[in-house]
Amino acid sequence: MIKNALRILQTPSTSSVHFRNLSKAPSASPSKPEKWDLLTAICVERKPALTPPLTDLEKEYKQYLQEVEYERSLKSDHEMKLEAEKKVLESLKAGETIEDLDVNLKQTAQDFADACVEELAQFKPADRLTEADRRNDLKSLQRKLDKHLVLVVQQRIGKEKHFLLPQGLRQDGESLRQTAERVLKENCGSDIQARIYGNAPCGFYKYKYPKDVRGGGSGGAVGAKVFFYFARYLNGRLPEKDVDYKWLDRKELYKTLPAPYNRSVSEFLFDE
Amino acid sequence: MNSIKNLVLRPSYFGSISCLTKRYVSGGLYEPDYLEGLKPKVPLYDTLNIHIKGYDYPVLESYQKFLHNILKNIDINVEECWALPAQVMNISTYKPRSEIVNAQYNLKLYNRFIQITDVAATQLPIVIRTIEATLPAGVSLNVRPHEEADEEIRYIPDSELNSLKQQLDDLGGPAKTKK
């Protein structure tokens, strides 16, 4: 029954391949079809605030393009004004008086340029490395402003605790997307706001329970299937007390997550 | 749950004449089956407008070209691309507690619209994520469904015609002819 329900819910994405394999297995064995727990996990990602720094090649190419553009460009209004004023000033020095001065000597183009340079000198852009970077505070969102940060939460799976994307079991009558929203609220508090992209999941992970847990209880599930939903972090904070969470960038994420889980997660995240 | 099972999962078991009353037939009894197969399996979005804005003209133009290329290569139907006149802003900063102008800036906010049609509902989140990942610095993005107002704003109002119409209204409407 569950298998049939899953076939109705399926999307033309990675999940369909797994279902096709699964549908062969129960028909081969005469016993009743296997039962799997359905979970949704939500991947909340914070967008970077800064552009990543340029590599050496990129810097050289950018420099080259700017030089070419300068060589090929025509003179701007400002440059024409500068030249005209220079000529007028030289002729004034030479002693000739010119009658129609259409050059305004009170606010020359050179003065304007100097004023602009002065204003630029006074402007100090903020530091790329924030305080959170220096303290290496993994809970802060101000860390690594040029990278994407993904939320991981410590959760108890079986007997052990792992750092995973927030996940939870689907309840009857809920769509997977509604489950994802509920999971976010339960695990991360109601303050955090995230916009889930689409009603279809973007990733999939399947694992079997260890034999002593399998089939136990009224559920009798063989294992669990986790569907990942992608969400963009908008604003809000997680509660400090109950939840142990971290905001990790790609490298740290791939080190923290358990290996087979990591393979499924890295498939739907952009490389950095 | 069971009724859905009967309708969707076991059409081959309905072999007798009684199946014709139960089978899900759209378009009528005499329409060929492949027409049903041609319909998209995932719902499609009708028309969406991707609106990009920026103060830096060359960056915005080249990004619009880049976006158009990407969308064309993933087989999304790009219907139209247009631009609206830039928003011209004149900003003057004053010296504190006086009316003496400190500095004046003339800024122009340029924009570009890309209209895409028939995007699959499963495809759109991926497209939006790709656009967000490739956005250059200084360009902002807004994706929204197409509205009539978006079309109306592109037309330049005919000021002469409008003023003549206004004059006619002031004079008391058009002359009523006897017929």
Side-chain angles (χ1 to χ4, degrees):
Chain A
M1 216 272 270
I2 297 288
K3 176 198 77 179
N4 296 333
L6 292 177
R7 227 190 273 164
I8 296 169
L9 284 170
Q10 80 176 5
T11 57
S13 60
T14 52
S15 44
S16 56
V17 178
H18 299 272
F19 288 129
R20 237 175 266 140
N21 290 331
L22 187 63
S23 62
K24 284 184 195 163
S27 57
S29 59
S31 58
K32 59 176 183 202
E34 297 175 331
K35 190 170 184 271
W36 292 77
D37 277 334
L38 287 179
L39 283 89
T40 43
I42 183 165
C43 172
V44 186
E45 205 190 45
R46 183 217 71 180
K47 261 202 292 193
L50 303 173
T51 48
L54 300 171
T55 60
D56 285 331
L57 178 67
E58 286 175 342
K59 278 186 207 162
E60 279 183 34
Y61 189 57
K62 183 178 176 182
Q63 182 72 23
Y64 161 73
L65 283 178
Q66 277 179 343
E67 285 173 17
V68 167
E69 195 194 329
Y70 183 72
E71 292 294 321
R72 298 174 85 179
S73 66
L74 302 170
K75 288 183 191 165
S76 66
D77 288 339
H78 176 78
E79 288 188 340
M80 300 293 281
K81 258 196 217 172
L82 265 177
E83 288 192 354
E85 278 162 18
K86 258 194 199 172
K87 277 190 189 169
V88 166
L89 283 172
E90 279 175 16
S91 61
L92 278 178
K93 270 191 200 172
E96 305 161 17
T97 49
I98 300 170
E99 280 163 15
D100 43 13
L101 280 171
D102 52 331
V103 171
N104 181 13
L105 283 175
K106 285 186 189 172
Q107 234 276 300
T108 57
Q110 188 61 45
D111 289 339
F112 176 68
D114 291 336
C116 289
V117 168
E118 230 187 85
E119 204 181 322
L120 182 64
Q122 284 178 355
F123 174 77
K124 284 195 184 95
D127 218 355
R128 284 186 79 102
L129 290 173
T130 59
E131 248 208 70
D133 272 314
R134 278 179 275 260
R135 279 182 295 156
N136 208 20
D137 180 12
L138 291 173
K139 292 198 174 189
S140 161
L141 273 166
Q142 305 304 320
R143 198 173 73 98
K144 303 220 172 180
L145 290 175
D146 57 348
K147 304 262 166 115
H148 297 270
L149 294 183
V150 175
L151 177 68
V152 280
V153 161
Q154 193 172 52
Q155 289 178 314
R156 178 185 291 277
I157 308 286
K159 293 172 197 165
E160 297 156 9
K161 282 192 178 182
H162 297 283
F163 271 103
L164 301 171
L165 306 179
Q167 68 188 35
L169 191 62
R170 174 189 165 268
Q171 284 164 0
D172 278 329
E174 253 187 347
S175 75
L176 285 175
R177 158 103 188 227
Q178 286 165 350
T179 315
E181 289 166 358
R182 182 180 56 87
V183 159
L184 184 66
K185 271 197 184 167
E186 283 178 5
N187 285 5
C188 308
S190 40
D191 192 27
I192 196 158
Q193 287 170 29
R195 179 186 293 141
I196 298 181
Y197 280 25
N199 289 331
C202 58
F204 169 74
Y205 174 63
K206 179 176 93 172
Y207 67 99
K208 284 196 169 177
Y209 294 147
K211 292 226 164 149
D212 46 343
V213 182
R214 216 180 285 184
S218 59
V222 168
K225 291 183 177 171
V226 190
F227 293 93
F228 296 104
Y229 274 84
F230 186 84
R232 187 65 76 196
Y233 169 77
L234 296 170
N235 48 35
R237 280 195 194 168
L238 285 110
E240 295 288 330
K241 292 181 196 171
D242 310 309
V243 189
D244 189 12
Y245 63 94
K246 289 185 198 171
W247 289 96
L248 302 175
D249 81 333
R250 294 289 190 264
K251 283 188 194 168
E252 294 162 357
L253 187 71
Y254 295 160
K255 274 190 220 161
T256 318
L257 297 178
Y261 189 84
N262 184 33
R263 251 178 272 139
S264 306
V265 169
S266 60
E267 276 190 9
F268 66 82
L269 289 176
F270 285 134
D271 285 333
E272 263 195 319
Chain B
M1 210 48 193
N2 269 323
S3 56
I4 302 174
K5 223 168 60 167
N6 283 331
L7 284 171
V8 176
L9 297 175
R10 291 190 217 151
S12 55
Y13 291 172
F14 292 108
S16 57
I17 296 173
S18 61
C19 79
L20 295 172
T21 52
K22 271 196 191 178
R23 212 174 74 160
Y24 179 59
V25 174
S26 82
L29 193 57
Y30 305 101
E31 299 291 326
D33 287 333
Y34 62 78
L35 284 180
E36 189 64 40
L38 282 177
K39 286 189 196 163
K41 286 154 191 107
V42 192
L44 304 176
Y45 282 98
D46 200 12
T47 34
L48 296 170
N49 288 343
I50 303 172
H51 180 193
I52 40 176
K53 290 185 283 209
Y55 289 95
D56 200 350
Y57 187 74
V59 168
L60 183 74
E61 276 229 308
S62 67
Y63 184 59
Q64 193 258 329
K65 180 183 174 189
F66 174 78
L67 249 194
H68 192 129
N69 249 336
I70 282 187
L71 294 171
K72 207 169 56 163
N73 284 328
I74 52 182
D75 292 327
I76 289 181
N77 186 24
V78 177
E79 192 76 31
E80 247 193 297
C81 304
W82 71 89
L84 288 181
Q87 190 187 7
V88 180
M89 289 179 271
N90 192 331
I91 303 159
S92 26
T93 47
Y94 296 95
K95 294 206 170 117
R97 294 184 192 183
S98 63
E99 274 194 17
I100 309 166
V101 172
N102 196 359
Q104 277 195 325
Y105 309 94
N106 295 325
L107 295 177
K108 286 178 110 180
L109 185 64
Y110 305 97
N111 48 29
R112 291 285 182 279
F113 287 83
I114 301 177
Q115 191 175 80
I116 49 178
T117 51
D118 295 336
V119 195
T122 46
Q123 208 182 18
L124 184 67
I126 304 171
V127 170
I128 292 184
R129 282 179 65 189
T130 321
I131 301 176
E132 282 183 339
T134 53
L135 261 186
V139 178
S140 60
L141 169 76
N142 188 1
V143 182
R144 52 169 199 264
H146 184 71
E147 281 159 33
E148 257 198 54
D150 291 330
E151 194 63 44
E152 294 292 314
I153 206 167
R154 291 177 70 186
Y155 290 103
I156 304 170
D158 193 350
S159 50
E160 275 187 36
L161 183 63
N162 285 354
S163 66
L164 286 173
K165 278 187 180 171
Q166 187 64 38
Q167 272 185 22
L168 188 60
D169 277 334
D170 290 337
L171 290 171
K176 292 179 188 107
T177 52
K178 266 199 226 172
K179 259 260 163 139

